[in-house]
Each structure stands twice: as structure tokens, then as C-alpha cells.
Amino acid sequence: MTKPRAAGRTVGGLRPLALQAPAVTLLLMWMLVPLGMTLWFSLQRYNLLMPGMTGFAGLENYEYLFTDPALWSAMGTTLLMVGWILVITVVGGTLLAVLFQQEFFGRGIARVLVISPFFVMPTVSALVWKNMMMHPANGVLAWLAELFGMQPVDWFSSLPLTSVVTIVAWEWLPFALLILLTAMQSLDEDQVEAARMDGAGPFSIFFFITLPHLKRAISVVIMIEMIFLLTIFAEIFVTTSGGPGLATTNLAYLIYLQALLDFDVGMASAGGVVAIILANIVAIFLVRMVAKNLEE
Amino acid sequence: MKLAYALPLAGIAAFSTTVLSPSAAHAETLTVATVNNNDMVIMQRLSSAFEEAHPDIDLEWVVLEENVLRQRLTTDIATNGGQFDVMTIGTYEAPIWAEREWLAPLDDWPEDYKEEDLLKPVVDGLSHDGKPYALPFYAESSMMYYRKDLFEQAGIEMTEQPTWPEVREWAGKVKDPDKGIAGICLRGKPGWGENMALVTTLVNTHGGRWFNMDWEPEIDSEAWTQAINFYVDLLNEHGPAGASSNGFNENLALFSQGKCGMWVDATSAAGKLYNPNESKVADKLGFAPAPVAETPKGSHWLWSWALAIPASSNAKDAAKAFITWATSQEYIAMVGEKEGWTSVPPGTRESTYANEKYQEAAPFADFVLEAIREADPTDSTLKPSPYTGVQIVGIPEFQSIGTQVGQMVAAALTGEMSVEQALSNAQRATRRTMERAGYIK
């Protein structure tokens, strides 16, 4: 008989911490160096166009940032955008998942088609929506409106936020659908059958069996989407450039404006720090919510 | 085993081609950054002639859209990156970058360059302390294009010098919503180089200015309010649908497709509008000077795209050889022969306008020359102003200010905000930027 391997605490005489150390250090550096530099730059007077004006600025960048009405409007826009897109994708995704779970002719092809928007690059889908769908003269929507004798809507100037939300929701709906459909497939058919035998209607089945079953998947969808949606950029850049006014300027776009239009590295870094804080606040709530759901 | 032999062999092969081949040992590589406008695309196509004449210089092109190019160039030059040997910059950047000693001065010309032939206002716009820092590739002012056939139909007589109120009246007469023809197309897309170029000339001619002599912004002044109200009303009543997302290129497409009765924009569009292959209205095209309101001062802009050499380049002589080639009389003649005379880069040399072939091909030539000569960046506002530039303010902060104000003007155009509110927001934002930059307390 060979000697049993040391159980639990040590491997080959080394404590697990020592084994993990290189990887953890690397990861920490990967994260801490950029974060530290951002913090450092945010305290500097650093504008690329003003080579003479440098030096420690203290909290001046933050002072200007927080007294800038654009910041608050950008925060509001960010939350509004994320909120609406989540509502649309989760509700729409759930309903579509139920629909695409049914047996019907050509289901395979339909499933592939409905998932495909997710694989289109954000810039490309923004361009397609801008020029082929929502354009007030050449777009499909304008053509439809005229078909019904209505005035074509100039989407990006009269309903800017709605337009951006529509485009991004169109991109992310398939993602929600994909996850939720997979979850649906693990739903126990016998349970549904039994409920039906007991006389439950389709609505009761949906609300009392399907929805509770999808709860975990939904929280995963919300969490993953949130991470990506806080940084929506390409769609805004391509379609509205943050406007008109500040109607579609979210935090990511505001930082871009400061960094690459004003070339104000200090301000942009301060904006970046604020974005990190906002993301963390949102994440704390989310992770709690999801963790609670996953524990059940 | 095969791989083990192949790798060193490949290494030796690579070594011998880089070190032993004579051309690679001598040739200097010039990295040329330029904007994807039509004239520059032609330059890229014709540059093989330059490479043939200079076998020791290889050209490498970076062709980008205007905004992206500007970002790349600014970050490169401000951080002393040294990626580029030739940069395409505009009237706005040249003096500011020259002041920061980011550009190499250009005064000893090759013998046959004929610098006295270059148009003076254009060269002045690219100079700092009387020394040029960039050579003009093409230059433009602004003017009004209109549809002769629609004007005739409506019984309108074009005047020698149209005024904005007249334009508004005409726009109401020539528009034809059933045929999808708007009365007038104007830039609405936000940006200091987009809507603000036109809007600033409109403000100038209404008697307004960006700053008073103490650098206090005057964006909420009476003249601005009048000008923006006029602009918003004009476009909402007689403009095309979705005007707030139309920039130069969008309007060019609209006008050349026959969707606009009038268009006030860059003179550089004339060549394209007059070319029957690219424009449906080539035979119905009329020209007029840019409209005026209270004062003719600053009613039309002055802009040029120019080639400059960054101070960080380590191939300055080769770069100079290239930019003097690309802005020479010979180059212009070559474009005329190979691409047709309407495609010649306009607005840079007297000799272009003296050329009979160009005069014949381009009936708008004298018009453009006159507009460029008349534009005076040092005296563009009714009340005196501390800055140079007609449709720009020659300070580094203007990119940011112009973009922010452009957003507000676009918001007023779409009705997102009232004109008063948009202008007072713009005033506040501009004041903040100027305070931060230390111009005012």
C-alpha cells in the first residue's frame, strides 16, 4: 500500500496559498496597475493639448466633474438605458422562450434566425438600424408609416433614447432567449403534464411552474447583461453621437468625449473612477440578488 | 523533424532578404496619415508617380475618416508618438500645433515650388508668427448652391448677394413635399466641424461672436438667439426630414439626388455637383455667394486641408519632398490630365484659376476664388474678437466647446430644448471650459 496523499491543507508539502500566489499576484497586478493609474491620472492636471499645464490637481477634476450637469444626466441616461433594455430583453426573452419551446413546423430554422442578431457586431447592427430601418426617408419604418398614411418618425432626433434602447434590446434579446430556452428545456414535462391533468390553464402553468423554474436563469441573464450594458458605446457612437443635446450620452460616452474630444486625460480618468464606483454599487445589489436566487 | 529544419531556414531567408537586399537597406518609409476625402483618395492613387521619381522613398498610407484621423493625430503628436511622417491637418490645427512646436517649419522651398503662387489667405491660415507650418492641399470657402429649374418654375430671380430672409422666403416657394424636395438643406449633425461651421457663419453675419475681448463667451447674446432661432425655424419649416443628422456628406448626397432646392455649404462640393456622373442636378445647378444678414462679415468660411510634418518625424527631408510634390503645380496638372479638370484640388494656387482648361471645365472657378480671397480669418466678426478664424475659434479648447455647443444647437433643432435653454446651457458649458483653461476667472 502506498502512503495516502496528504489530505486537504497541503499539496506536495506546499500550502495551497503558496501555489495560488503566482496566479493571484498576476491577476491582481492586471487589475491594480490600470486602476491605480486611473486614480493617479484623475488627480493630475493632464490635458494632451496643453503641454504646459501639468502637475498635481488635487480634487479639481472631481470638482469640475461633479458640478457638470452632463455627469448627472449621463448617469440617469445610463441607468434608464440599462433598466429598459433589461425589462425588454427579460420579458421578451421569457415569452419567446415559451413560444420557441412549442413544437411547430420549421422550429430549428426559426430558432437559428431569432438568435442571429446576437452575432452581428454592434457597429454593424447600429448602421443597419440607422440607415435601413429608422432613416426618416429611406428606412423600412418610414415606408411602413407612409403605407398607413402616417408621418414618418425621425427616430434619432425625436425619440433618441427609445431608438438606442430598441437597437441594443434587439441585439441582446437573443442572448436572453438562448439562456432561457436552455433552461426551459430542463423543465420537467411530467410536472407540466400533471398540472394540466389537475386542470391548470396555460397562464397558471406559466406563472406557477415555468416562471419559478426560470428564476435562476433570469438572474444570470440580468447579471451578465448588466455587465455589458453599463458600457454601451458603439451603438451610441454610430447613431446619435450622444445627442441631440445630451439625450443619449451615457457614462461610457461621456468619458469618451472627455478623453478623445477634449483630450482631457485627468477629467476622463475622474469620470472613469466614477463609472467604476457606479458599476460596483450596481454589482453589489445584483450579486446579492442573484446569489440569493442561486442558493434557494 | 521537418519543422526543425524549416524554422532555421525560414530565419535565414528572412535575414537575407532584410539585410542583403539593397533597396530595403536604403529606402526610407514615409507614413502618411490622411483623411478619406475624394481628393486625398486621388492623391493616394497617383502617388505611384512620386515613388517612381523617388525610388529611395516608400509610402505607407493611413487613410481615416475625419474625426478618427483627428483623434489619432492629436494623441500621436501630443504624446510625441512619432508614428507619422506626414500629417493631414486643417486650418484649425496648424497654428495651434505650430505654437506648441509640434510641427516642423516649412520655409526653405525647393526651387521650382513657386510658393508665391499659393493663395495668401490660405497660407496665412496655416502660419504661425508669419511662418507657414503646413502646405495647403485643397482649400474651400462656403457658398450657396441652388436649383435653377426650380427657381425658374417659382419665378424667383436670384440676386447678386442673397440675404438670409430672402433665402427663407425662396425656400418656402421651391419646396415640393410631394416630390420629396426640401426648400433648403443645411448641416444639422452636431460637431465643431459639422453644424457649427455653418452656424458660426450664420451668427457672424447676424453680428454675433463667440467671445468678447476679455474671453467672456457671448453665446446667450441677442445675435446668437436671433441666428439660432432663424436656423431652427428655417430648417423645421423648409428643411429635409431628419436634418439634425445630416452633415456635409449627407447633404451632398441629398442635393446631388435632387432633393434640395438650395444648399449653403463648402465650395469644395462644386466639383462633384457639377460632374454629371455623380450628380443628377449637374445641368440645373446655380451658384450664389453665401447669404448675409446684418453684416457681410464672416458670412462665409475659410478652411483648408493641408500637409504638415510633425517635429517628431525622423524622415523630414523625404517628407518635405512628398508634401511639396503633392501641393505643386505639377501635381495639379497631373490630376487634371488623368482624372479630369473638375477633380483638381481647388483653392490653393492662383495658377489653377489662371488655367484655361480648368476655367472651361469648372464654371464655378471664379466664384470659389473670390470667396476664398474675401474670407478674412483675422476680421470675421462685426464687433472685435480676440480670436482668429471665421467658422472656428483658434484656441485648443474650441474642439470641446464647439462640440458641446453643436450638441445643444442640434437639441434645439429637434425641439428637445427651446433655443433659449439650449443657448444658456451652451453658454454655461463654454464658460466652465474657459474657466478651467484659465482664460477667465
Side-chain angles (χ1 to χ4, degrees):
Chain A
M1 251 184 81
T2 50
K3 211 174 83 182
R5 190 172 279 247
R9 304 295 303 167
T10 60
V11 179
L14 282 169
R15 298 185 66 76
L17 196 65
L19 285 170
Q20 288 163 3
V24 172
T25 319
L26 201 69
L27 271 176
L28 271 179
M29 273 169 59
W30 205 262
M31 197 192 88
L32 284 180
V33 170
L35 184 66
M37 281 178 76
T38 311
L39 275 170
W40 173 245
F41 281 138
S42 76
L43 299 174
Q44 296 285 311
R45 205 171 280 124
Y46 185 6
N47 187 321
L48 287 181
L49 293 174
M50 250 72 68
M53 279 172 63
T54 49
F56 191 70
L59 293 177
E60 195 192 287
N61 287 323
Y62 289 95
E63 194 191 314
Y64 269 97
L65 187 69
F66 282 110
T67 50
D68 189 351
L71 176 75
W72 304 108
S73 119
M75 273 202 194
T77 309
T78 308
L79 295 178
L80 212 60
M81 251 184 214
V82 174
W84 273 113
I85 294 168
L86 279 181
V87 169
I88 296 172
T89 51
V90 169
V91 173
T94 313
L95 295 179
L96 281 177
V98 173
L99 189 69
F100 278 86
Q101 179 67 5
Q102 314 295 320
E103 292 278 352
F104 59 86
F105 177 71
R107 184 171 73 165
I109 294 172
R111 277 185 182 175
V112 172
L113 280 180
V114 80
I115 286 162
S116 53
F118 192 56
F119 301 103
V120 182
M121 278 184 282
T123 31
V124 175
S125 49
L127 272 176
V128 167
W129 276 86
K130 182 189 185 186
N131 294 324
M132 294 162 84
M133 302 289 289
M134 290 173 159
H135 195 280
N138 314 325
V140 173
L141 294 177
W143 177 78
L144 272 178
E146 270 169 12
L147 203 65
F148 291 102
M150 290 183 297
Q151 191 67 26
V153 180
D154 184 4
W155 288 90
F156 292 108
S157 49
S158 46
L159 296 166
L161 195 59
T162 316
S163 313
V164 174
V165 166
T166 311
I167 296 172
V168 182
W170 176 80
E171 283 170 10
W172 283 91
L173 189 62
F175 173 76
L177 171 64
L178 202 63
I179 305 277
L180 296 176
L181 193 60
T182 321
M184 282 286 284
Q185 279 163 355
S186 70
L187 180 62
D188 194 353
E189 278 299 318
D190 298 341
Q191 209 182 348
V192 179
E193 200 56 46
R196 201 170 287 141
M197 300 268 274
D198 286 343
F203 285 101
S204 313
I205 293 179
F206 176 74
F207 282 109
F208 293 105
I209 296 178
T210 315
L211 213 50
H213 176 76
L214 289 181
K215 219 163 136 192
R216 283 181 182 188
I218 288 177
S219 11
V220 171
V221 167
I222 292 180
M223 189 161 81
I224 294 179
E225 280 195 10
M226 179 79 89
I227 294 168
F228 287 94
L229 294 180
L230 278 171
T231 58
I232 304 171
F233 176 78
E235 293 83 354
I236 298 173
F237 180 72
V238 171
T239 55
T240 60
S241 315
L246 289 167
T248 51
T249 301
N250 66 355
L251 263 182
Y253 199 81
L254 189 72
I255 295 169
Y256 159 79
L257 284 181
Q258 278 158 352
L260 282 170
L261 230 67
D262 303 1
F263 298 101
D264 192 338
V265 181
M267 255 313 234
S269 305
V273 172
V274 171
I276 295 171
I277 294 171
L278 182 77
N280 274 296
I281 293 173
V282 173
I284 288 168
F285 283 111
L286 260 175
V287 170
R288 282 215 179 135
M289 191 185 91
V290 173
K292 220 173 80 195
N293 265 325
L294 291 181
E295 272 165 15
E296 274 172 13
Chain B
M1 279 306 276
K2 265 185 186 163
L3 192 68
Y5 283 116
L7 277 177
L9 275 180
I12 292 165
F15 178 77
S16 55
T17 45
T18 46
V19 174
L20 302 179
S21 78
S23 69
H26 293 287
E28 239 175 327
T29 307
L30 277 188
T31 312
V32 182
T34 196
V35 58
N36 63 354
N37 291 354
N38 201 24
D39 295 271
M40 281 71 169
V41 175
I42 294 176
M43 166 167 75
Q44 188 185 3
R45 198 159 58 220
L46 297 180
S47 66
S48 53
F50 174 79
E51 283 177 301
E52 271 161 32
H54 300 81
D56 51 339
I57 301 176
D58 284 334
L59 296 178
E60 200 168 282
W61 292 87
V62 178
V63 184
L64 295 165
E65 190 255 335
E66 184 175 335
N67 288 332
V68 182
L69 176 82
R70 204 165 263 139
Q71 281 159 16
R72 285 275 300 272
L73 293 187
T74 313
T75 27
D76 182 69
I77 204 159
T79 54
N80 208 2
Q83 275 182 46
F84 306 105
D85 300 302
V86 174
M87 291 182 162
T88 306
I89 58 177
T91 310
Y92 172 68
E93 287 93 354
I96 296 175
W97 290 7
E99 195 192 338
R100 284 165 175 52
E101 292 172 3
W102 288 346
L103 299 176
L106 301 163
D107 36 12
D108 59 69
W109 321 88
E111 266 166 44
D112 54 351
Y113 186 65
K114 302 200 182 69
E115 69 274 13
E116 68 285 349
D117 185 34
L118 294 170
L119 288 174
K120 195 170 175 304
V122 178
V123 179
D124 283 351
L126 299 168
S127 304
H128 171 68
D129 273 348
K131 247 192 240 170
Y133 280 81
L135 298 179
F137 183 69
Y138 77 77
E140 62 180 36
S141 182
S142 58
M143 64 200 257
M144 185 160 100
Y145 303 98
Y146 68 97
R147 288 271 301 275
K148 277 184 183 160
D149 56 331
L150 295 179
F151 269 58
E152 225 163 85
Q153 235 173 59
I156 307 166
E157 193 74 27
M158 177 52 79
T159 53
E160 190 96 335
Q161 171 63 67
T163 67
W164 278 109
E166 278 174 343
V167 166
R168 184 174 181 171
E169 194 191 314
W170 297 337
K173 286 186 185 160
V174 296
K175 76 170 171 185
D176 191 347
D178 295 335
K179 287 190 192 146
I181 301 176
I184 186 164
C185 295
L186 293 173
R187 296 184 183 190
K189 192 191 212 165
W192 68 269
E194 286 284 4
N195 63 350
M196 289 322 287
L198 177 92
V199 166
T200 305
T201 61
L202 198 60
V203 169
N204 288 340
T205 192
H206 275 87
R209 54 184 174 173
W210 277 90
F211 299 102
N212 71 12
M213 290 308 278
D214 300 322
W215 288 106
E216 282 282 346
E218 290 199 329
I219 299 167
D220 52 0
S221 67
E222 185 59 25
W224 271 83
T225 317
Q226 261 178 20
I228 306 301
N229 264 317
F230 178 84
Y231 166 80
V232 169
D233 291 346
L234 177 65
L235 270 186
N236 283 337
E237 281 166 26
H238 310 304
S244 69
S245 51
N246 292 346
F248 171 76
N249 285 316
E250 288 83 357
N251 281 325
L252 177 64
L254 282 173
F255 193 86
S256 59
Q257 292 303 308
K259 304 261 185 202
C260 311
M262 285 176 276
W263 180 33
V264 181
D265 213 304
T267 53
S268 57
K272 282 198 199 82
L273 290 179
Y274 205 75
N275 182 347
N277 297 329
E278 292 182 48
S279 148
K280 283 186 187 167
V281 295
D283 52 336
K284 308 160 192 154
L285 191 59
F287 309 102
V292 300
E294 307 284 318
T295 164
K297 268 190 177 180
S299 61
H300 51 276
W301 70 66
L302 181 70
W303 180 258
S304 66
W305 277 114
L307 302 173
I309 306 170
S312 56
S313 162
N314 45 25
K316 289 200 186 68
D317 290 332
K320 186 174 270 178
F322 176 75
I323 68 173
T324 45
W325 170 81
T327 57
S328 65
Q329 286 180 349
E330 291 77 43
Y331 174 79
I332 291 174
M334 183 165 81
V335 179
E337 300 299 331
K338 289 198 176 161
E339 305 279 329
W341 281 93
T342 46
S343 303
V344 159
T348 56
R349 286 177 169 272
E350 304 269 3
S351 57
T352 310
Y353 291 90
N355 188 318
E356 273 171 29
K357 283 183 199 148
Y358 186 59
Q359 284 283 355
E360 200 177 304
F364 48 83
D366 289 334
F367 229 100
V368 172
L369 182 64
E370 194 58 24
I372 290 176
R373 272 201 190 128
E374 266 180 19
D376 184 359
T378 56
D379 180 25
S380 61
T381 49
L382 189 59
K383 294 181 205 158
S385 62
Y387 54 87
T388 52
V390 182
Q391 83 289 14
I392 50 174
V393 176
I395 56 171
E397 293 75 19
F398 182 67
Q399 285 199 52
S400 157
I401 292 173
T403 305
Q404 289 180 45
V405 178
Q407 286 281 20
M408 294 303 156
V409 171
L413 181 60
T414 61
E416 178 111 349
M417 289 178 205
S418 71
V419 171
E420 283 69 28
Q421 198 193 347
L423 289 182
S424 89
N425 283 358
Q427 166 80 6
R428 204 168 51 232
T430 306
R431 211 168 183 286
R432 276 170 53 86
T433 310
M434 294 303 276
E435 267 171 30
R436 193 172 149 73
Y439 285 81
I440 44 176
K441 284 262 158 55

